[in-house]
Amino acid sequence: MDPVDDPAPGSIVEVSTLRMVAGGDGLGRLDDGRVVLVEGALPAERVTVEVTEVRPRLVRARTVDVVVPAPERVDPPCPELARGCGGCDLQYAAPASQPGLKADVVLDALRRIARLDDVPVDPGAPLPADGYRTTVRAAVVAGSAGFRARRSTEVVPVGSCGVAHPLVEELLVDGVFDDATEVVIRVGARTGERMVVAHPTAAGVVAPGDVRVVGTDELSRGRRAWIHEELGGHRLRVSAQSFLQARPDGAEALVAAVGRAIGDLSSDTTLVDLYGGIGLFSVLLGAHAPVLVERSAAAVADARVNLADRDATTLKLAVRRWRPTAADVVVADPARAGLGADGVAAVAGTAATRVALVSCDPASLARDVASLGTLGYRPLGVELVDLFPQTHHLEAVTTLELVEPERRRATA
Ligand SMILES: C[S@@+](CC[C@H](N)C(=O)[O-])C[C@H]1O[C@@H](n2cnc3c(N)ncnc32)[C@H](O)[C@@H]1O
């Protein structure tokens, strides 16, 4: 194929890809050196692409044909992909290869953003790629649940979903959600409890009798609704508005990785659980007197129930409003934007000697690690937990240790 000097949207060119970037696209270069991000391409492939967007320093494209495939390329297993569903964007990579691809994305972010090239990144063990998701958010069109097409507002009705837990899939496919524009379906895989949260109203929802159904209009008027899930041998309450990790085996794997990061807790270890949610880490790690900081009222109410047998301090506060108290270890699990300046100051303000930073975005991970580095925290390694197989999403636990803890303690 002839080289194209200045491809316009719609033109067809051939590209060799070098690596995967955050978001799952394959990165290649055009003949003029411009970066091209290719949807549907794996590293080290030769692909024919259709250009979809042209900017001065960046071109976007989508794969139309694979000329030389990577060894890990497979046929996507889900029939919904061909119908336009944008939910699982990494299905063309063999599941066993996905943790390694994601580890490379984290290594790249650490190199480019934090200027660190010596932090080991462990891809972790793959988790089952089928029927795993116990929480799913879906759009609703004409009373039926659907997923958005990739990079589009168009909604594709759900005929089946290979990654949804069967108890979720049944509601996704058969549920009637008249009057709603969006639903969140959540189940306890080990308790069998199910819940549908419909936005803006649950007035037209038709679901089996065992399903707790609530509208966001009722929640905003003060109604409470929750289900339970069993994690690490504990029965945890999770309310309609509280965060819960998207799969129980993944939640347990994440807790195990955090446990490896911070080491064994003794009865007098002080643990601060920042962005603590319903108390997952404090409960499963066996903290005796954790300090949990969380801004969601629903999650704090759950945490108080889940930690009722501990000497826990549960603070309904935004992290930036918290006045840090001394701690031995910190677990910090912020939302996608990461710790930012406030979270970094909160972590460092504890003078904890060990920190487990849980991140779901490679760029914010690298930014937070760089910022903590300026305050004396050295990253020892990153461990990935592949909570979301078949998608580009990742979850990573970074272990950091305080260098010169004695000096910092003296000044804390
Ligand atoms: C990724 S979730 C983690 C929750 C919990 N660690 C878990 O694993 O179940 C992030 C949590 O941080 C809370 N959150 C987000 N921004 C916050 C802030 N600025 N201050 C305190 N909590 C916040 C959210 O409500 C959510 O519960």
Side-chain angles (χ1 to χ4, degrees), residues 207-363:
D210 67 289
V211 180
R212 249 146 277 188
V213 177
V214 64
T216 54
D217 53 351
E218 298 168 279
L219 293 171
S220 58
R221 288 197 298 269
R223 189 181 153 196
R224 301 296 315 276
W226 55 73
I227 61 167
H228 298 88
E229 178 61 298
E230 277 173 25
L231 295 167
H234 301 268
R235 182 178 162 87
L236 299 187
R237 188 181 97 173
V238 54
S239 289
Q241 291 145 304
S242 303
F243 173 88
L244 181 63
Q245 304 292 344
R247 56 189 297 170
D249 55 353
E252 289 166 348
L254 197 58
V255 173
V258 167
R260 285 187 283 278
I262 60 173
D264 290 339
L265 302 184
S266 69
S267 59
D268 56 1
T269 305
T270 315
L271 177 137
V272 165
D273 189 352
L274 292 179
Y275 312 87
I278 67 164
L280 172 77
F281 293 115
S282 291
V283 173
L284 268 65
L285 289 167
H288 288 257
V291 175
L292 179 143
V293 184
E294 163 63 49
R295 77 173 173 196
S296 151
V300 170
D302 293 334
R304 288 182 179 147
V305 171
N306 297 334
L307 286 161
D309 62 348
R310 316 288 169 91
D311 187 13
T313 305
T314 46
L315 301 171
K316 195 204 115 18
L317 269 183
V319 164
R320 79 185 154 80
R321 296 186 160 275
W322 180 58
R323 291 190 59 190
T325 47
D328 300 307
V329 291
V330 171
V331 180
D333 182 11
R336 186 164 301 280
L339 294 173
D342 295 325
V344 167
V347 170
T350 65
T353 50
R354 278 272 170 151
V355 174
L357 171 65
V358 184
S359 314
C360 60
D361 179 81

Side-chain angles (χ1 to χ4, degrees), residues 20-150:
M20 196 170 99
V21 296
D25 287 347
L27 180 147
R29 282 195 189 275
L30 297 179
D31 295 334
D32 63 5
R34 254 183 304 181
V35 166
V36 54
L37 296 182
V38 185
E39 187 183 318
L42 289 167
E45 289 194 315
R46 184 89 185 147
V47 285
T48 307
V49 305
E50 179 187 349
V51 173
T52 52
E53 187 184 339
V54 180
R55 293 202 227 151
R57 295 173 57 188
L58 175 74
V59 173
R60 287 189 182 278
R62 65 176 184 86
T63 303
V64 291
D65 192 25
V66 180
V67 183
V68 182
E72 57 268 31
R73 181 170 281 276
V74 294
D75 288 334
C78 179
E80 303 297 323
L81 191 70
R83 296 177 53 216
C85 178
C88 296
D89 54 4
L90 204 56
Q91 292 187 55
Y92 50 89
S97 72
Q98 294 174 14
L101 292 168
K102 296 177 191 184
D104 287 344
V105 169
V106 172
L107 278 167
D108 182 56
L110 285 169
R111 250 183 244 124
R112 283 186 306 104
I113 299 170
R115 305 277 170 222
L116 291 168
D117 57 12
D118 57 354
V119 181
V121 178
D122 176 353
L127 288 167
D130 301 320
Y132 64 80
R133 275 201 83 122
T134 51
T135 300
V136 169
R137 181 182 297 273
V140 175
V141 174
S144 295
F147 292 129
R148 299 214 181 276
R150 192 160 158 81

